Amino acid sequence: MSSQPHAFETSNYLLGHAWQSARVRALVEGWEQLEWIDDEALKKARTDHRLSLVNPAQGIYLFFTDADSYEARYGEPRSKGNLILSRVSLLLHFDSQWTPYAGALPLALRADDMVGDVLRRLGSPAELWRVGLNVSKARWSTPDAEVDVSFERDTGRLKLVTITPPQVAPVSASAMPTPEQFARQFGRPLAELQEDAQFAPFFLGAKAREIAEYGEADYSREFGVELYFKPGAEMADAVPGAPRSSEPCLSGVRYRADLDFQSSGYAGPLPWGLQMSDTVDVTMSKAAARPFKEALDRDDGYQLWRTDLCDVHVLYSFLEDRIYRVTLLARGCYE
């Protein structure tokens, strides 16, 4: 893997440029991950609406999405191609297995900055993520980009900086049941849900075959959610009211962040007032309890809470310092 840093164009860090562009190809030249990316992998990336590249030796993470998805959110790309660079993370005091990014940072940030230095120099951020007195992450907006600056919990040093284009068309929320309303319907048969006005936006009758075959109904593109179903007999011992039959019953709902595979991005309420942009520290503060189970590594991971109403599963991307998915599951039905 190449260890020599390539200079970004610091005005936009190549955001909006296509995978095929000469500038992007020069940046990623020699990256080890390219050995596994062939035409078939690129075809799958376009189908999934995403391609991620990492270079731990340079402290860089790149996220590409398909051209249509990019244009719908950020406007016309800067160069034409199938996959467009839409997010860049520059890793600093992140992990011992990552070499800190050594190039120029946006907003005139310096690698040795501390959280207090950044807040004094840049002024009030557009958004701030805080746990008690500790600042976990802050966002500043410029005409060229939105810049998220994450800080180490104990030291206050720069952990990583994530840069995305400013959105021209923010994702809008769709009318649907709240997380609590969803959870209170777990164990309810599909036939009943089809007649419930709360579930009218899902047109469940049209998804009956998909539910029967796969146990799910995918609305990622429309609403940024997926619904999950299990036979009532598999839920009856754990979920009051679930019928002891083979009839599919609602067993879970997954909320996806924008551009998570084919997702349009869920923009409605989440449990505990979570936001997809929350860090793991902020999530745990909002949950106000230790998770029932967790598996966290340097790049990503999950935490699972078991509440009286349902299980709450949260998946994180630490390379972007945010939540990727929140899933509510019928209590004890998924181990």
Side-chain angles (χ1 to χ4, degrees):
M1 183 182 295
S2 171
S3 60
Q4 296 299 313
H6 293 270
F8 273 114
E9 298 176 24
T10 55
S11 62
N12 56 51
Y13 290 84
L14 297 181
L15 292 171
H17 286 272
W19 165 261
Q20 297 93 332
S21 75
R23 293 171 180 175
V24 171
R25 301 302 296 174
L27 172 66
V28 302
E29 181 182 1
W31 286 24
E32 184 176 304
Q33 193 177 350
L34 296 183
E35 297 177 12
W36 293 276
I37 298 180
D38 54 15
D39 289 342
E40 188 64 30
L42 291 174
K43 180 180 179 181
K44 184 176 188 305
R46 292 192 294 272
T47 301
D48 290 341
H49 294 231
R50 60 177 290 151
L51 172 70
S52 298
L53 282 184
V54 296
N55 190 333
Q58 293 184 21
I60 300 173
Y61 165 86
L62 306 177
F63 176 91
F64 297 79
T65 190
D66 65 284
D68 289 343
S69 295
Y70 183 95
E71 186 167 359
R73 290 154 178 78
Y74 308 119
E76 187 175 353
R78 295 174 185 268
S79 61
K80 294 189 179 300
N82 295 316
L83 293 165
I84 310 296
L85 183 59
S86 61
R87 191 178 303 127
V88 174
S89 287
L90 308 174
L91 292 302
L92 296 150
H93 298 101
F94 178 69
D95 184 275
S96 60
Q97 298 184 55
W98 282 72
T99 301
Y101 173 73
L105 294 169
L107 306 177
L109 291 166
R110 299 187 292 263
D112 61 352
D113 275 337
M114 308 289 282
V115 58
D117 302 326
V118 176
L119 293 174
R120 281 191 295 273
R121 195 162 68 246
L122 299 185
S124 299
E127 292 188 57
L128 188 68
W129 289 262
R130 178 193 296 275
V131 179
L133 297 178
N134 295 323
V135 175
S136 181
K137 184 168 70 173
R139 174 176 296 165
W140 284 270
S141 298
T142 76
D144 292 318
E146 287 191 342
V147 182
D148 285 1
V149 184
S150 296
F151 303 95
E152 281 191 312
R153 180 191 309 171
D154 299 324
T155 68
R157 299 184 302 178
L158 291 189
K159 184 166 63 174
L160 61 94
V161 178
T162 302
I163 310 149
T164 59
Q167 285 204 7
V168 296
V171 177
S172 58
S174 300
M176 65 177 65
T178 66
E180 182 176 357
Q181 288 171 331
F182 268 124
R184 293 192 181 283
Q185 302 303 317
F186 289 164
R188 194 173 176 194
L190 173 61
E192 292 184 15
L193 297 177
Q194 289 177 263
E195 305 300 322
D196 192 322
Q198 286 186 108
F199 287 81
F202 297 105
F203 297 99
L204 287 169
K207 295 281 190 176
R209 183 173 180 179
E210 180 182 344
I211 292 168
E213 290 186 10
Y214 304 109
E216 65 181 55
D218 190 353
Y219 301 91
S220 297
R221 294 183 180 181
E222 300 92 332
F223 307 128
V225 305
E226 294 170 274
L227 303 184
Y228 295 98
F229 294 82
K230 274 181 173 289
E234 295 182 16
M235 303 175 63
D237 290 335
V239 180
R244 293 189 177 275
S245 70
S246 60
E247 186 172 6
C249 298
L250 186 66
S251 59
V253 56
R254 169 168 288 168
Y255 304 100
R256 290 186 178 273
D258 194 30
L259 298 179
D260 176 21
F261 290 96
Q262 299 182 18
S263 175
S264 63
Y266 174 74
L270 290 168
W272 308 319
L274 294 176
Q275 297 178 323
M276 291 296 184
S277 52
D278 284 343
T279 67
V280 63
D281 292 343
V282 171
T283 300
M284 291 182 65
S285 175
K286 290 181 176 180
R290 292 293 305 174
F292 172 73
K293 185 186 297 185
E294 66 180 12
L296 307 174
D297 61 25
R298 63 178 187 174
D299 297 344
D300 54 30
Y302 77 87
Q303 292 178 311
L304 176 69
W305 283 265
R306 177 149 291 169
T307 74
D308 291 339
L309 190 58
C310 66
D311 292 347
V312 180
H313 184 283
V314 180
L315 178 70
Y316 305 95
S317 167
F318 296 134
L319 294 175
E320 301 168 57
D321 203 23
R322 66 166 185 157
I323 294 171
Y324 248 86
R325 299 169 201 154
V326 177
T327 309
L328 308 185
L329 300 165
R331 194 175 190 276
C333 288
Y334 293 84
E335 297 295 344

